Each structure stands twice: as structure tokens, then as C-alpha cells.
Amino acid sequence: FRVKAAQVTQVLTMEGLPMTRGGLAGSALRPAGPAPSLAPCSTAMVGTAPPGRAVTVAAGAFAVAVAGKATLGGLLRRRRGQRETRATRVACAAVPTEKPFRTTLFTKAAPDGVSLGDCPFSHAVQIALKVKGVDYDVVPCGPNNKPPWLLQEVAGQMPCVVHQGIAHVETSQILKWIDMTFPGPSLAVPEDYAQLVSRAAIFPAVAEFTKNSDSSKDDDLLVNLQMSLTRFRMHLFALPIGTRYAVSDTLTLADCELLAALYVIQSATASLKGWSLNDLPEKDEVRQYYERAAALPAFSQSCYPPNVGVQGWQMARQ
């Protein structure tokens, strides 16, 4: 797809990225100059680059696009719906009439009303629970079969995690509560990276693009998504070489949220829009990050089926 260099320059300048003009270095936005330092970058945040680095921007094209794919139409016509991430089927329990004492996740149901639905927020919660090794039940609920206590106590809000009879809602709060409550590896996000997820703003961009049904807006929405991915890409680039995940070599709550958003791209966006992370270069930092993390059991065992994701976003487009 094509986008004016001025647009890219304006956005990256707002993010604090120094720039030079030139051709594509590889096929992703690449800092000009020497290879990244092995020293930790303690102040690296989304949208920052190590000192003295510049971002090479191809004049007249957004440099994140795959080389040779100059138009959005070309991207969207390629292998629509052929790339699906494998997911392990999540065992689900029937909706109980009483509030459970055992740790239980109440979440959106699939169109069949009984199996796991396509909720990225619940997906993030499940990743955290599995990393912590929590033994829990999953109870999918449709709009018409939510238990009375869920409606009365939290206005039917989901995801909702019940533990020892107490209901917890709001995804960010649930994630922090999981990390503080259960033993196991710490999922805490270092203070320097506390705003990583919100500043990258990947999920809002994914949602806008994926649910859009007006093809005339697709170009701009895909550019917006690419810019969100670029903010995250520059964050990853600023980390010490060899860092496996978003902020360290172990998963954190930031990874739980980011991976759930990227899974939407690999399932629903790939099918409905014909674009996924697979369209990025093989060595692209965001693509490699996702592929590493997606291989973890905590991720694959908590995914809703890709076809359920497609169905869910198709309904959101109506």
C-alpha cells in the first residue's frame, strides 16, 4: 500500500524517532548506523530508539510493507484466510447457577453458546493463569444465560474471574490480581515499561481495521495498524539483543495483552482482510516475537479456535 512519506515522518517524529531519507533497509523500518548495543537500555520505551540511531524511511512508501507489495489491494488479495494459528481446544464447563468457590473464568461464549468465544481480554487472562500454573475452570456465557449473581454483582461484565467466592473484573485489574495472588513466576511489568501496551495501542488499531466493512477506509486503517506495530517494533529493537519477550526473557502481563491482540491479527484479520504478521519479513522483530511466544503452551492452550475468531469479528462488522 502507498502512503505519503510526510505522513510517516509526522507520526514517527511525534514518537520521538530521528529519521533520514533513503531506501528500504531490508523491508522493515530499520535504524541506520551500527548494530544495537548489548548494554541494557533501561530507559527504552515504546517509540524510542537508542541514542544516535536514525530510522530510514523510504520516500513515498511506508517502509514496514513487504518489499514488492506496493498496494494494499495486492496484500488483501493474497491467500485470504489461509493462515491460521493452531490452538488447543479449551475445555469448558456448564454455566453454574451458584457463584463458584473454585477459581473460575466467566467469558464470552462462541456462537454455539457453549464453547469458548473470541474474547482477546479473556485470552490475556488465561495466558496469565496458565503461566502461574493455576487450576481453573472456564465457563462461556452467552447474552441470555449469564447467572443471576453475575448480572447483579458486576452487571454481567466479562471476563470475570471468581476466586474463593469473590468476583474480579476489568482485565488490567484481573491481570495484576493474578500476579499478586498466585505463586509461580512473577508477571510484573517493570516501571519503565508500564505504559508499553497503551502506547503501542495495537489492539485498538487491530479492532478498527478488522471490523471495518467500508473498503474505502481500509488503506488508512491498515496504515494505522502498521504504525502501531512500528511503535512496538522500535521498542523491541531498543531492548538488549537476545531479549525473548516484550520486556525480558520471561513473560510479563504486558506480553499477555500484546499476544492476545496479535492473535486477532493471525486469525480474524488474516481471514477477513487478507493481512497478517506473515506478510512481514521473516526477520521482522514483531513477527519473530509473536512466533517465539506463540510456541509456549500457556499461549496455545488458551487460544479460542481461529474460526470462532473469524465468526466473532464478522458479527462485529454487521
Side-chain angles (χ1 to χ4, degrees):
F1 55 95
R2 294 189 176 128
V3 64
K4 294 180 180 178
Q7 287 181 268
V8 180
T9 300
Q10 180 182 18
V11 171
L12 297 183
T13 298
M14 290 172 62
E15 295 297 326
L17 300 176
M19 292 171 289
T20 61
R21 288 191 179 277
L24 288 174
S27 52
L29 286 174
R30 305 295 304 180
S37 168
L38 288 173
C41 184
S42 61
T43 59
M45 295 290 288
V46 177
T48 66
R53 313 297 282 282
V55 176
T56 299
V57 179
F62 194 27
V64 173
V66 179
K69 306 297 185 297
T71 64
L72 175 64
L75 284 173
L76 300 188
R77 287 192 294 269
R78 295 177 63 240
R79 300 188 303 278
R80 183 179 295 270
Q82 291 183 6
R83 296 180 294 270
E84 290 190 347
T85 301
R86 292 184 179 275
T88 302
R89 185 175 180 84
V90 177
C92 299
V95 179
T97 55
E98 301 295 330
K99 189 187 342 180
F101 186 82
R102 173 179 163 81
T103 305
T104 305
L105 169 64
F106 289 82
T107 184
K108 174 185 176 182
D112 64 11
V114 295
S115 58
L116 184 65
D118 65 312
C119 178
F121 309 111
S122 292
H123 190 185
V125 168
Q126 285 211 72
I127 294 173
L129 288 169
K130 289 188 179 296
V131 171
K132 285 286 190 175
V134 180
D135 182 21
Y136 66 99
D137 292 328
V138 177
V139 178
C141 298
N144 300 319
N145 70 336
K146 294 179 181 179
W149 67 264
L150 185 66
L151 297 171
Q152 295 166 4
E153 291 190 22
V154 295
Q157 186 174 350
M158 297 186 297
C160 173
V161 177
V162 177
H163 177 68
Q164 297 181 352
I166 300 176
H168 302 268
V169 293
E170 299 292 349
T171 304
S172 61
Q173 296 303 313
I174 293 174
L175 291 173
K176 292 176 183 177
W177 167 80
I178 289 172
D179 190 40
M180 292 187 298
T181 302
F182 298 101
S186 172
L187 296 172
V189 180
E191 186 62 31
D192 284 350
Y193 305 113
Q195 303 303 314
L196 170 60
V197 174
S198 61
R199 289 196 65 192
I202 293 175
F203 181 71
V206 172
E208 279 192 290
F209 179 49
T210 306
K211 71 181 180 182
N212 175 58
S213 58
D214 182 352
S215 60
S216 68
K217 297 179 180 179
D218 271 344
D219 291 66
D220 289 339
L221 293 175
L222 181 53
V223 167
N224 184 53
L225 172 55
Q226 289 278 16
M227 289 180 174
S228 294
L229 294 174
T230 296
R231 287 192 287 271
F232 183 44
R233 178 179 296 109
M234 296 309 298
H235 161 79
L236 292 173
F237 193 93
L239 293 172
I241 290 178
T243 304
R244 292 189 59 78
Y245 304 117
V247 300
S248 68
D249 288 333
T250 59
L251 290 185
T252 65
L253 298 180
D255 293 288
C256 296
E257 295 189 78
L258 290 164
L259 290 170
L262 295 177
Y263 180 66
V264 176
I265 296 178
Q266 296 301 86
S267 52
T269 310
S271 178
L272 297 174
K273 296 295 186 179
W275 191 90
S276 78
L277 300 181
N278 297 35
D279 287 298
L280 299 174
E282 288 186 5
K283 294 188 180 298
D284 177 81
E285 288 85 354
V286 176
R287 178 174 173 176
Q288 289 188 324
Y289 160 79
Y290 178 80
E291 290 174 350
R292 281 194 300 272
L296 297 173
F299 177 86
S300 62
Q301 293 173 8
S302 59
C303 293
Y304 47 86
N307 66 299
V308 171
V310 174
Q311 292 175 327
W313 286 94
Q314 281 177 326
M315 295 175 64
R317 288 159 58 93
Q318 297 174 357

